[in-house]
């Protein structure tokens, strides 16, 4: 899948742009879920700061 993602990214970038390294993390769903939860919490905290 990394090859397909890399090709899609390259298709939308300037030919002279620096290459992008794609790292496929094999740690599974739990790591993904923790990351998603952290992003959701950060977003909620940012909204609370703005609301004050």
């Amino acid at each position: 899948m990394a090859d397909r993602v890399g090709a899609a990214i390259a298709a939308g970038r300037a030919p002279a742009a620096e290459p992008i390294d794609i790292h496929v993390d094999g740690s599974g769903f739990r790591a993904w879920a923790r990351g998603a939860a952290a992003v959701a919490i950060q977003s909620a905290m940012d909204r609370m700061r703005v609301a004050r």
Side-chain angles (χ1 to χ4, degrees):
M1 191 53 108
D3 291 338
R4 292 175 67 186
V5 171
I9 290 170
R13 299 183 77 225
E18 291 290 321
I20 295 175
D21 288 331
I22 297 175
H23 173 74
V24 179
D25 187 344
S27 59
F29 178 79
R30 283 190 137 163
W32 175 89
R34 283 188 195 119
V39 170
I41 291 166
Q42 288 171 338
S43 178
M45 295 299 289
D46 287 343
R47 286 193 305 274
M48 285 193 283
R49 278 189 215 117
V50 171
R52 286 185 186 189

